[in-house]
Structure formats: structure tokens, C-alpha cells
Amino acid sequence: MDIWQHEWFSKILRPSRYLGGEVNAIRKDSGAVEVTIALAFPDVYEIGMSHSGLKILYHILNAQSWIAAERVFAPWVDLEAELRARDLHLTSLESCRPLGEFDIIGFSLQHELCYTNVLTMLDLAHIPILSGERRPHDPLIIAGGPACFNPEPVAGIFDAMVIGDGEEAALSICERVREYKLQGPPTSKHELLKELSRLKGIYVPSFFEVHYDQCGVVRSIEALEQGYTAVEKALVPDINSYPFPSRQIVPYTELVHDRFTVEIARGCSRGCRFCQAGMIYRPVRERRPLEVVHTAEKGLLETGFEDLSLLSLSSGDYSCVVPLLQELMARAAHRHVAVSFSSLRADSIFSQLMKEIKKVRKTSFTVAPEAGSQRLRDSINKGLTEEQILQTAAQIYDGGWNLIKLYFMIGLPYEKEDDLAAIVELSKEIASMAPRRSKKNVLNVSVATFVPKAHTPFQWMPQLSLEESTRRINAIRERLDSGRVRVKWNRPEASWLEGIFSRGDRRLTGVLLNAWQQGARFDSWTECFNIDIWRKALEGHGLDPDLLLRRQRDQDEMFPWEHIKAGVTKDFLAGELERAGKTERTPDCRERCSGCGVCNDLGISPILFDGQGQFTERANRLPEEDRHRIKRYRLRFTKLDKAQYLSHLELSRLFIRAFGRIELDLVYSGGYHPMPKVSFATALPVGLESMGEIMDIYVKKTEDSSLPIERLNKELPSGIRVVSVEEVSSDRPPPQIKESHFLLTIHGSFKRDDLDRFTKLRSYVAIKRHGNRKRTVDIRSQVKLLHLLSPHELELVTRHGIGPEMRPAEIIQEICYLSEDELVGMRILKTKGVLV
């Protein structure tokens, strides 16, 4: 049984997270493939589905006929509780298959605060958490992602870990598992792990033993397998050999980054000394510009997304970013597709990019000075001057934007009190540039505590204490928070825990397990994080968090991650630390090689593309919109089965993207943020099914502006079907419902006496609750008809437009005195809506 078919599912928050069956999802017969892998993201769906790495691996693996790759995400705490109460297994989205039945479960570790969710997912799959306790027939548990560059705190959890790029490594792992399965029922995983250890970038934690001195400092890391003494990161020399997927999954629920994404480059050449990603993803490898254009154009058509995002660590550094953006806008602007960048620098080409970006829709702008003073920016090798920052801010405000986001860190090495004051002064100066027309806040200032990361020049440095982090953030807040400036901050407690795991070693595995057993979940979520659980777990294992965070490491000290080779040499990092202390800049390695050690004689080097002659193919430009030539269609459609769990906003977004996939030329509103002109007669509550929903859409008259129902229905998920389309006059008002007809079915029985008593009343006032708000509603005037069809079935007809309304379930609960359990098991089907 699919999870949404359980009666209790109606109580779950954000149910669309768990439905599966999205457009472009790939479902294979597990019996017809040789290897099955569950791509597990240890956070909620809307975060995991925003991650580009998941998109890449999902398509690379499923492109192989012998591999079936499916997705699974961490269930929110309410669903976890329901699964445990009913002893139900965690299952994949594609086939609802229990995780324990897969050959491989591959976790994506994007940050350290997701570790407890990994344990939750394994436990809900009934798989032993510690690798040493697993049975031969249990799935192979692997991990990848940036957090794996210090794998030691979770070394006892995973059978193997991918260090570096995952494209080739993931396929190689699947090939080894296929060979392993052909040998018959397994008696041990040891031989498989030995085979995996021979692959570049594969770390097998059980093949190493760590020794400590009396102070708990790593003394040595002993290799237990001959010849396997260190792990070099996996590196794809040319990312063009793995085209970025265009047929991306189109989610029902709104994602954190809810847009079509294309990775345009991997790696960064700037050399910011605080940035782990800039070190571990070297060298820079750019995608071919024309390939980016083709992927974007094809993908927007295959998904229907309204926004396009160009991904890289520093998108403005892409060698031909301006001509690329101009070409994309020329091809996509007529479809009202907005283009945004994941990261832009305040530099000389910013004004050119901004001019192109605002042609369709104004996307948000974030400027990241990182530090308030020039001295500290030079120390961290940020490479931004105050003049550039102020000039960029002025251009943004002058371009018509009313809000800028600034990002700063506190606790950077060599930070002084004057640097905190500089954050305040720089922010105030930028806010003063904003136009006076704006009554709301014009500047969001985000502040986070700096966490020293492995494989960076600051890996030797201590982290700010929890108390000092709190003091510095409060100092900025008190001096800066005002009506026009809003200060946001990452909780110092979360940074405290992140720092412990970022700097930690294998002793933390026991701490992690203990904290999870005491209830730690979703530690990156403010509403879930509980620092007391972690303090007790650390104390129970004899570990002092202050020593883990505040101790500056000796230059010749062995790191817990010493055997993990990220390509950048330790000598280079030490030299960069020394230059940071002297506030000396290191040039961008595009300008001059810095000798970091990544590029070598084996053919590893930056791959860049200039802007000349790349765009020889030209797009077919469509004529400008003729606003006097518009058709209006009225659609009637169903919303049944699992589609009942889509919210009104999700339903609207689903239709708009489906229209995009069939290339229907919708009419858009005007202004800085144009939206398609689509109107629904009613907003159906989540959990209600309907045979008769109504919506109107406006379409530009073209040579073929008919609405093909058959094509449209192929782009809609199960349960949603357009049953009729009619053209209506553009002069008529939007569709309005005067009454709705419902069929209600319960497991128990409706009492005729309750219904008769209610129908005899002239008025029945009930309390409608929404959060903490309450209001009175006369439900007697809302109810037109109550007709008992059988002891279990009831027809309900409600009126609209006569004041505040209650939902059908709330009405029947009031009339029939139903319990919460009876409500949960009740099916409500809207049979039709009658228009005014």
C-alpha cells in the first residue's frame, strides 16, 4: 500500500513531499535490473530536490539499463512518529520499496548537521546503524558530498564513502556490486570493500585504525590493508563528458530553489581562505556555452519551469558569462523565463549582467562582503574592495530593486572589535543609498559564525566560543537593527555543533549515536535543535566541546582527515595561513598559478571557454505580444486519489508548468514580476477530492492557439485530468462558484437525528480556528442541503459568497459530533461546482 493511502496520512504536514510520481520521475521494474540504489538525502524533500548533485546522479545511473536509481528523503518528525507507531518501513518515492531491499543506499552529506537524520533513515529502514553490526545481505551503505572530506565523525556508520566528484565513482561502485552479486549469496562484505578501495576516491573507514595520544590528539592513522594508505579525491577532468540533465523532475511542492538549474562550472579560482568548496572542488572546469544553452532551452520545455538558475561557486567568473546570458535571454524572454545566478561577485561586469537579468523579472540579489573591513577582507583573500561593494549596491538600487541581502561572517581568524564596527558602518552606508520611496526594509544583513573547515588554510585555527559568538552577533544586532535594515543570523548553537563535527574525529560517532537516541533530529532546523542533548552526549563520552573548538592546532599536527587527499597540498594551505596573518593577497589562479598542487602532469588543469564564436546558432525569436489578440479558455478537471494532497498553490504551479511543456502561449500580467493569467473558481482544501474543479486561462492568439486536451493530460499527474475545455468571452468576470456539492463517506454511520435537528435551525454559529485566530461562522446559512443517502454516505451542498465559510469536514464535525478519529477516516468527494 502506498503511504498516501493510509487513513492517518491526512494528518501529515506538507503531504506532497511524500507522494512521488512527479513529472519526469523514472520508475523501473526492480526485477528487470541488476543493481538497485536508493539515493538518500538526509533532509526534507524540498531541500534535497534542490540539490544539483542528486539531479546528476539520478540521471547518470538511470541512463544505464541495468541500474534502477530511486529517491528517498528524511521524513519530518510527524511522519517518523507515524511510521514508528505502526512499524512501517521507510520506502523510496518511485516504487514505495523498503530501503532494506535495495543493493546500495547512497547518502548525500552536504553538511554536518544532517548526521542524525542519516541515523533516523537507517533505523526506519530496519538496517543496523553501525557498519560493523550489519549482516552480509544488508544494503551497502555509502556516502558522498562535501562533508565527506572529513569523514571521521561518521566513519563507523558507512561501509564506504566517495571523496570528490561522484559521476564516475557512482557508476564504478554499481559495477562492482553487480559483479559481487553474480558470485552468489554473500557471506561477508570484506571482499567487496577491498574491490571498492581500489577505486580512486573511495574511502573504506574500516580499513583504517586511528591512534590517539594521552590528550586525545590523533597520533597516527594505521592502514589495515596493504597498499591502501591514503585516499585521493575522485576528479572528473572534463565535466562536459557528463552532460547536465535536461529532463529534471518537476516537484509538486515548492522547493527551496524552485527552478530549472544548469551547472555552468565546477570549482573556483578565487582562493578565498575560509571557503572549503573553493579548495576541494579545484580546478575550475566550465561547461561548453552552447551546451549550456541547449540544456536550458530543452530543459525549460521538458519541465515547464518559469525560472532558470545558472549554478557555480562564482557564476560571474564564467569566462563568457555575458554573451551566455544574452543568448539565454534572447531564447527564453518571450516565455517570461527569468534567469538568476547562484553566486555573483561585485565586480566590473555586474552592471552588464544586471541589465540582462531584469528584462523579464527581477530576481533577488545577495552581496557577500564576508567581512566589514578591508583589512579583514584582504586577510581572507576575498578580493573585494569597499568601492566595488558600494558601487554594486548603488547599481542594484538604481536598477529598481528595493531590497539587497548582505552576508557577513563573525569569528574569522584575526578578527578585531573594529571589524565588527565596520560591518555596521558598511551596512548603514549601503542602506542610505536605497531610494526613499521604499517604506519597508531595504537591506537584509545575514550574520553567521565562521566554522574552520578541513582542507582550507584556516583548518589549524580555533573557532569562536559559543558565548563570544552570541556576544558579537548581539553587538551587531543592537547597533544595526532598524526599520530599514533587518538583521538575520544563524544560531551560534548550530555553528557550535557544526564546528565540533567539522574539526572532530572518530570519537564523535558514539556521541552522535547517543544524541540521536535522546531525540536529536533535524539539527539545522531551529525548531528542532536542542543543544542540551548534545552537551550531555559529549559529557557522557568524556569530550570537552571547548577543547574540540577552541584549541589551535600545531603546524606539524596530524589532522583526523590526514589520509584524505583533496589535491591541495598541506604546504600550500600552511603558506596561505601565513599570508592571511600578513594580510597578503593571493591572485586568482586564472591570472597566475598559485601552486596549490591540484593541477599536475597527469592532464588535470582548468577548462575554460572564451566568449568568441560560441553562439553560431541563433534562436527562433517570436514576435512581441499583441495584447489585443487574446483567447480565454475554461477548463473543468478532476483532482482525485493522491492528487487530493496537493495544496492550491501546488496545483496552480503544476498546471502552469504543464502548459509550458505543451508550449501554450499564456498571457502574463505586467509589472516587475509578471505572472501568468490563470484563475481558479475555488481553492480546494488539502485532503479533498473533486470531480469538478474549474479554472480559466488566457492564451495569446497564434496560428494554433487551440488547447489540446490529450497532450495536456499526458503532462498531468495521476488523479488530475482535464475533462472539458470551452472558449469563453474575455469580457466575462472570472469564474465564481455559488454552490458546491459533496459526497461524504465514513466507516461509522451518520445519525439522522443530528441532521434533522440541524436543518430545523434558522442559525447555527460555530467557531472557526486558524492558528491562534478565532472567528464566528453561521454554518446554517452556508449549508443548502443535507441528504442522507445511506448510514455511511451523506450528500452536502454548500453556498458560497455569503460570508466566512467553514470546510465540509468542519461543518459535519459540528453537526454530527464526530471524533477526530472519525474525521481522519472520512472521504470527502466534491462532485460538482455550480457557477454564478
Side-chain angles (χ1 to χ4, degrees):
M1 178 186 292
D2 290 350
I3 189 172
W4 63 269
Q5 293 176 309
H6 292 273
E7 291 179 351
W8 50 264
F9 185 72
S10 61
K11 300 186 297 183
I12 297 298
L13 295 172
R14 298 289 291 270
S16 57
R17 290 169 170 167
Y18 312 110
L19 296 179
E22 309 98 316
V23 168
N24 295 335
I26 300 169
R27 182 170 180 177
K28 297 183 178 182
D29 179 1
S30 61
V33 298
E34 297 174 78
V35 174
T36 57
I37 178 171
L39 299 175
F41 200 95
D43 211 321
V44 292
Y45 176 97
E46 52 266 39
I47 292 178
M49 282 298 296
S50 298
H51 184 240
S52 61
L54 180 65
K55 295 180 174 73
I56 293 172
L57 292 180
Y58 185 78
H59 286 270
I60 284 177
L61 295 171
N62 278 315
Q64 307 297 317
S65 61
W66 54 277
I67 300 175
E70 304 188 14
R71 298 162 296 142
V72 63
F73 302 90
W76 190 246
V77 291
D78 59 341
L79 180 56
E80 179 193 348
E82 293 291 346
L83 294 177
R84 291 193 185 283
R86 293 163 174 80
D87 195 28
L88 296 175
H89 289 220
L90 185 62
T91 61
S92 66
L93 281 181
E94 276 73 9
S95 64
C96 295
R97 188 182 185 194
L99 292 195
E101 296 180 8
F102 283 81
D103 297 317
I104 308 168
I105 302 177
F107 283 91
S108 177
L109 303 183
Q110 295 301 302
H111 56 79
E112 293 79 4
L113 299 187
C114 70
Y115 290 161
T116 52
N117 291 347
V118 172
L119 307 195
T120 299
M121 295 172 77
L122 288 174
D123 191 57
L124 289 174
H126 295 212
I127 297 170
I129 288 173
L130 297 176
S131 59
E133 297 177 359
R134 291 191 197 115
R135 299 148 296 190
H137 63 271
D138 283 324
L140 179 72
I141 310 300
I142 62 175
C148 292
F149 278 84
N150 176 18
E152 293 307 284
V154 288
I157 308 297
F158 295 100
D159 299 318
M161 305 177 84
V162 178
I163 312 299
D165 294 334
E167 289 94 335
E168 293 176 357
L171 283 171
S172 297
I173 290 171
C174 289
E175 287 169 354
R176 298 303 185 276
V177 169
R178 176 169 63 170
E179 295 167 2
Y180 177 68
K181 289 178 66 178
L182 290 174
Q183 298 172 9
T187 57
S188 168
K189 279 197 175 74
H190 185 78
E191 289 304 315
L192 172 62
L193 295 177
K194 282 184 67 174
E195 284 297 314
L196 295 180
S197 70
R198 297 186 177 102
L199 300 174
K200 189 171 183 179
I202 305 301
Y203 174 49
V204 180
S206 61
F207 288 0
F208 292 87
E209 185 174 347
V210 181
H211 303 281
Y212 302 89
D213 64 18
Q214 292 180 344
C215 299
V217 176
V218 174
R219 176 166 51 84
S220 65
I221 301 173
E222 179 186 359
L224 303 180
E225 291 289 326
Q226 188 174 2
Y228 187 57
T229 58
V231 181
E232 292 185 17
K233 76 173 179 181
L235 181 67
V236 176
D238 184 0
I239 58 175
N240 292 285
S241 59
Y242 291 94
F244 202 81
S246 61
R247 190 173 289 277
Q248 297 175 17
I249 293 173
V250 185
Y252 303 129
T253 192
E254 184 176 8
L255 305 183
V256 174
H257 302 297
D258 198 24
R259 54 188 71 106
F260 183 83
T261 56
V262 182
E263 181 192 44
I264 62 173
R266 193 174 300 178
C268 180
S269 58
R270 294 284 181 167
C272 297
R273 293 171 180 137
F274 60 86
C275 180
Q276 185 188 49
M279 297 294 168
I280 64 177
Y281 291 127
R282 291 186 175 201
V284 174
R285 292 147 290 162
E286 295 181 345
R287 291 193 184 275
R288 296 185 186 92
L290 200 54
E291 181 189 313
V292 172
V293 172
H294 287 163
T295 300
E297 195 168 34
K298 185 180 179 185
L300 289 169
L301 181 59
E302 291 174 335
T303 63
F305 278 108
E306 311 86 4
D307 296 272
L308 167 65
S309 180
L310 305 179
L311 300 178
S312 84
L313 291 176
S314 184
S315 298
D317 287 338
Y318 185 78
S319 299
C320 58
V321 65
V322 173
L324 171 65
L325 182 56
Q326 289 171 339
E327 184 69 14
L328 287 171
M329 294 303 295
R331 293 173 182 246
H334 70 276
R335 295 182 57 193
H336 295 273
V337 173
V339 181
S340 63
F341 290 87
S342 58
S343 175
L344 280 177
R345 293 178 63 90
D347 56 20
S348 57
I349 65 167
F350 185 84
S351 59
Q352 295 172 270
L353 297 176
M354 188 174 68
K355 180 182 177 181
E356 294 295 326
I357 289 171
K358 69 178 184 179
K359 284 182 178 178
V360 173
R361 209 162 40 245
K362 290 183 176 176
T363 51
S364 62
F365 271 118
T366 300
V367 179
E370 314 292 358
S373 70
Q374 192 62 51
R375 179 195 65 82
L376 196 53
R377 283 195 296 275
D378 288 344
S379 178
I380 64 176
N381 207 43
K382 180 62 181 177
L384 274 183
T385 66
E386 186 161 321
E387 181 183 0
Q388 287 175 319
I389 296 168
L390 295 176
Q391 184 180 20
T392 297
Q395 289 173 348
I396 295 172
Y397 286 132
D398 292 345
W401 279 265
N402 294 324
L403 179 67
I404 297 176
K405 301 174 185 178
L406 289 183
Y407 181 81
F408 294 100
M409 286 185 287
I410 54 108
L412 287 161
Y414 313 112
E415 184 179 73
K416 300 177 181 178
E417 204 68 28
D418 289 348
D419 298 308
L420 301 180
I423 291 176
V424 175
E425 294 308 313
L426 179 61
S427 301
K428 285 182 176 179
E429 188 168 358
I430 290 174
S432 69
M433 297 177 175
R436 291 294 165 186
R437 65 177 181 269
S438 178
K439 304 294 184 182
K440 301 178 181 179
N441 69 299
V442 296
L443 188 67
N444 284 347
V445 175
S446 293
V447 185
T449 302
F450 168 67
V451 177
K453 294 286 187 175
H455 308 285
T456 70
F458 294 150
Q459 62 184 340
W460 286 273
M461 302 301 284
Q463 183 172 324
L464 216 57
S465 69
L466 176 58
E467 294 73 22
E468 182 60 18
S469 294
T470 303
R471 185 196 71 80
R472 295 189 192 188
I473 290 174
N474 287 339
I476 294 171
R477 290 174 55 202
E478 291 165 4
R479 298 170 61 183
L480 197 54
D481 226 345
S482 68
R484 288 171 67 80
V485 180
R486 182 182 178 190
V487 179
K488 301 180 179 180
W489 63 97
N490 287 7
R491 291 185 63 191
E493 294 86 352
S495 300
W496 170 87
L497 181 61
E498 182 184 352
I500 287 172
F501 277 104
S502 294
R503 297 167 57 84
D505 52 58
R506 293 192 176 194
R507 295 173 298 170
L508 288 174
T509 300
V511 175
L512 171 65
L513 185 58
N514 182 251
W516 172 78
Q517 289 169 338
Q518 298 306 312
R521 302 287 192 280
F522 288 97
D523 296 294
S524 62
W525 293 70
T526 300
E527 61 265 46
C528 296
F529 182 70
N530 186 335
I531 193 172
D532 291 334
I533 289 176
W534 289 101
R535 288 189 187 278
K536 291 176 182 177
L538 287 162
E539 182 181 353
H541 285 76
L543 296 177
D544 184 346
D546 288 334
L547 285 178
L548 292 172
L549 286 177
R550 298 291 300 138
R551 188 180 68 82
Q552 182 163 341
R553 287 186 159 104
D554 296 333
Q555 280 290 320
D556 58 351
E557 182 177 322
M558 178 171 282
F559 293 115
W561 52 88
E562 194 80 27
H563 51 316
I564 305 299
K565 306 302 179 183
V568 179
T569 66
K570 194 172 182 180
D571 287 344
F572 169 77
L573 297 175
E576 283 296 285
L577 177 61
E578 184 178 352
R579 292 171 69 86
K582 299 176 181 178
T583 63
E584 294 179 0
R585 292 284 322 285
T586 297
D588 187 317
C589 68
R590 295 178 191 235
E591 302 169 10
R592 190 181 74 208
C593 178
S594 58
C596 71
V598 170
C599 300
N600 53 41
D601 296 331
L602 300 178
I604 304 300
S605 61
I607 295 179
L608 309 175
F609 294 92
D610 63 41
Q612 302 301 318
Q614 293 293 333
F615 304 110
T616 56
E617 301 179 22
R618 304 308 299 176
N620 294 320
R621 304 323 198 250
L622 293 185
E624 291 296 315
E625 175 185 341
D626 182 351
R627 297 186 181 277
H628 299 290
R629 294 174 54 81
I630 295 174
K631 277 189 174 184
R632 178 181 173 187
Y633 290 108
R634 178 158 294 165
L635 286 68
R636 296 176 186 269
F637 62 94
T638 65
K639 187 169 182 272
L640 302 171
D641 299 326
K642 66 180 179 182
Q644 68 183 286
Y645 293 109
L646 301 179
S647 70
H648 180 66
L649 179 60
E650 291 165 347
L651 180 70
S652 174
R653 188 165 50 240
L654 181 151
F655 265 105
I656 290 170
R657 290 172 179 172
F659 294 143
R661 290 192 295 276
I662 65 171
E663 299 185 84
L664 197 64
D665 209 358
L666 296 178
V667 175
Y668 277 69
S669 62
Y672 283 130
H673 197 76
M675 298 295 292
K677 296 186 72 174
V678 174
S679 56
F680 290 80
T682 56
L684 197 68
V686 174
L688 265 67
E689 296 179 273
S690 176
M691 295 289 295
E693 292 303 284
I694 301 170
M695 68 183 296
D696 280 8
I697 63 172
Y698 295 80
V699 180
K700 300 173 194 174
K701 282 187 179 179
T702 60
E703 292 182 3
D704 181 14
S705 55
S706 61
L707 207 163
I709 295 182
E710 188 175 339
R711 279 187 63 203
L712 179 59
N713 280 333
K714 287 181 179 179
E715 298 297 334
L716 296 172
S718 173
I720 298 180
R721 286 293 175 270
V722 175
V723 295
S724 69
V725 174
E726 63 175 317
E727 188 175 347
V728 295
S729 170
S730 297
D731 298 328
R732 290 173 62 178
Q736 288 182 298
I737 295 289
K738 67 178 180 181
E739 62 184 49
S740 295
H741 295 236
F742 300 95
L743 179 66
L744 293 82
T745 308
I746 61 173
H747 294 308
S749 59
F750 296 107
K751 297 177 181 177
R752 185 178 296 277
D753 290 346
D754 293 332
L755 306 180
D756 291 343
R757 183 173 58 253
F758 175 80
T759 54
K760 292 176 182 178
L761 296 173
R762 298 184 61 182
S763 176
Y764 188 110
V765 177
I767 303 296
K768 182 177 177 64
R769 292 176 172 83
H770 183 73
N772 295 324
R773 291 181 297 169
K774 298 180 182 179
R775 62 191 309 182
T776 57
V777 178
D778 183 3
I779 60 174
R780 183 63 191 88
S781 62
Q782 186 182 345
V783 175
K784 179 181 179 179
L785 172 70
L786 280 173
H787 180 209
L788 191 63
L789 301 175
S790 76
H792 314 293
E793 289 184 310
L794 174 68
E795 182 184 8
L796 167 67
V797 179
T798 62
R799 301 184 182 96
H800 298 282
I802 54 175
E805 298 178 1
M806 294 185 76
R807 297 179 177 184
E810 296 170 327
I811 293 173
I812 296 304
Q813 185 177 28
E814 285 283 344
I815 296 173
C816 299
Y817 310 104
L818 298 180
S819 67
E820 290 296 327
D821 289 339
E822 288 175 304
L823 276 183
V824 167
M826 181 167 61
R827 184 195 183 201
I828 305 176
L829 173 65
K830 181 178 175 182
T831 55
K832 69 176 179 178
V834 180
L835 290 174
V836 174

